[in-house]
Structure formats: C-alpha cells, structure tokens
Amino acid sequence: MEISKQVALVTGANRGLGYHLASELLARGAKVYAGARDPKAIQLPGAIPVQVDITDPQSVAKAAESIPDLTLLVNNAGSHTGASLLDGDMEQIRLDMETHYFGTLSMIRAFAPILEKNGGGTILNILSVLSWVTVGNTGYPAAKSAEWNMTNTLRTVLAPKNIRLSGLHVAFMDTDMTANVKAPKASPADIAKIAIDGIEADKYEIVADDFSRNVQHDFAGGIQALYPQLFQTN
C-alpha cells in the first residue's frame, strides 16, 4: 500500500489517537476525511470533516454516501463508560458493546462495498491489549474482545474482495480515556506512526508495544499465565 495514494476516513478523529492517526495520514500525503459526531470539533488543517456517529445507522449510511472514493477505513471511535460488569449500569455496558462491536461492524458493512467497488482497500480496526486480557472489571475489555473476534471473522470474508482487515493491539496511551490510569503510557503520536507503518506494510496484525507482545506470548500459558493471581495462595 502507498499511503500517498489513499483516500482515508478516520472515525473519532477529533482527539486522542484518532487525531494523530489522521495527522499521520495527512503527513504522508493521503486524502483524509476526519469523522466525529460533531464535525465542528475537528481542528485538523487539511482534513475534511465528516459527521458520523457509529452507533447511529442513519449517520453511518449518510457518511458512506458522502465518501464514494474511499480506499482506507480506520475504525478508531470508541467509548469507555467504566461501568462494572457485576453491578454497573447495564445501559452503559450496552453502550460500550454498541460502540466497539456493533458500531464498528456497522461501519464495515457500510463501507466494504465501496472499497470493493474501488478495487479493494484496507480497513484498520483499533483494538486493544484488553481484547486479549482483562484489567479491572468494566465492560470495555469484553467489548474489545468481541471486536477482535469480529475482526478475525471478517478477515477471511473480505480477503477475496481484495480488502485487507488489519487490527492494532496497543496498551495504555496518554489520552483522555486513560487520564486516571497510573501505569506507563505511550504517546498516541508514536502509536499512530506504528499503526500507519503497519498497514503500509500490509500487516494483518499490528502489535504496538512490549506489554501487548508479552500478553500475546502468554496465551500459550493459558489462564495461569494470564491471571496468576487466581493461583496465589495465602
């Protein structure tokens, strides 16, 4: 893939990683549509603001109609309500699932025919190391895990249409979503470069940091490797 020849849409481009992904694509010469629920929130010279709420099917359909030349879709928009799975507000838990799973799926269903019509292209789903291992007890990791499984499923469906579906796995980044997290955080600008390098190299899976790579490696060790605290004795 040559980034300079791509027409891209980045959802959630008004801040955080989405902003830096759109900036990186612009810096490499791509035509960039910057998606947000409120397009007035897009403050990115050179980008074309687009209104899109990925949880609203009508909004998604309207966005798809407005970008007939798309070749690269970056599904970055997300939510993190912080609701506890055990006793949190079910509507907030549903919102996390609605956004990361159904919202991302809705975007792919709307834009895949456009990519196919344009000769193929690439979709990048912004996943998380929390799709592989759970930290805390909120609905966010469950939603990301569902998104990861959906990504794996659709890869084989979209490949014959000349559409590559990539996934980015990353740990904590220095964004609004992790403002209360005390763990080390990566720069979203650095992660954006890694992500765009990955799709430019036609990678299906982009693992952005050591923590994510270690968790991926620990899969072979099963539950005991991923959750050693369950096996600790007093």
Side-chain angles (χ1 to χ4, degrees):
M1 167 183 280
E2 293 184 48
I3 297 298
S4 63
K5 295 181 179 180
Q6 305 308 309
V7 177
L9 167 62
V10 180
T11 62
N14 54 307
R15 61 181 182 175
L17 179 61
Y19 174 89
H20 290 285
L21 287 164
S23 297
E24 186 66 23
L25 287 166
L26 283 168
R28 301 192 192 196
K31 178 180 179 181
V32 177
Y33 291 88
R37 285 177 294 180
D38 179 6
K40 293 180 182 178
I42 300 296
Q43 301 293 325
L44 188 57
I48 304 168
V50 173
Q51 196 286 325
V52 60
D53 178 350
I54 69 171
T55 66
D56 180 349
Q58 291 185 342
S59 175
V60 171
K62 186 175 180 181
E65 290 175 1
S66 70
I67 314 176
D69 53 345
L70 194 76
T71 61
L72 171 58
L73 171 63
V74 181
N75 287 314
N76 167 76
S79 68
H80 189 345
T81 65
S84 166
L85 280 179
L86 190 60
D87 54 13
D89 185 333
M90 283 295 289
E91 289 305 310
Q92 290 189 319
I93 295 170
R94 286 191 179 96
L95 175 59
D96 285 335
M97 187 64 73
E98 186 70 34
T99 304
H100 294 285
Y101 184 80
F102 292 108
T104 299
L105 178 59
S106 179
M107 290 291 293
I108 293 173
R109 286 164 61 105
F111 282 94
I114 296 172
L115 295 177
E116 183 179 12
K117 184 178 179 180
N118 290 333
T122 296
I123 300 170
L124 174 63
N125 287 348
I126 304 303
L127 301 172
S128 169
V129 69
L130 298 182
S131 62
W132 290 339
V133 67
T134 297
V135 176
N137 66 344
T138 71
Y140 179 83
K144 279 299 185 184
S145 184
E147 185 184 357
W148 172 52
N149 196 300
M150 176 261 289
T151 300
N152 285 333
T153 300
L154 291 181
R155 281 189 175 116
T156 56
V157 176
L158 294 174
K161 303 177 185 296
N162 198 31
I163 299 172
R164 181 180 299 273
L165 180 49
S166 301
L168 171 73
H169 291 273
V170 59
F172 300 117
M173 291 178 288
D174 190 10
T175 64
D176 292 345
M177 187 179 290
T178 63
N180 296 322
V181 175
K182 303 303 181 183
K185 305 172 192 177
S187 161
D190 291 341
I191 299 301
K193 290 182 173 64
I194 291 170
I196 303 307
D197 284 345
I199 59 172
E200 193 167 37
D202 294 330
K203 291 184 177 180
Y204 277 109
E205 193 167 61
I206 305 162
V207 184
D209 51 65
D210 288 340
F211 184 71
S212 298
R213 280 186 284 271
N214 289 338
V215 169
Q216 185 185 45
H217 176 268
D218 285 345
F219 269 174
I223 297 298
Q224 188 162 1
L226 293 171
Y227 304 102
Q229 66 271 27
L230 295 176
F231 298 87
Q232 292 175 355
T233 58
N234 294 326

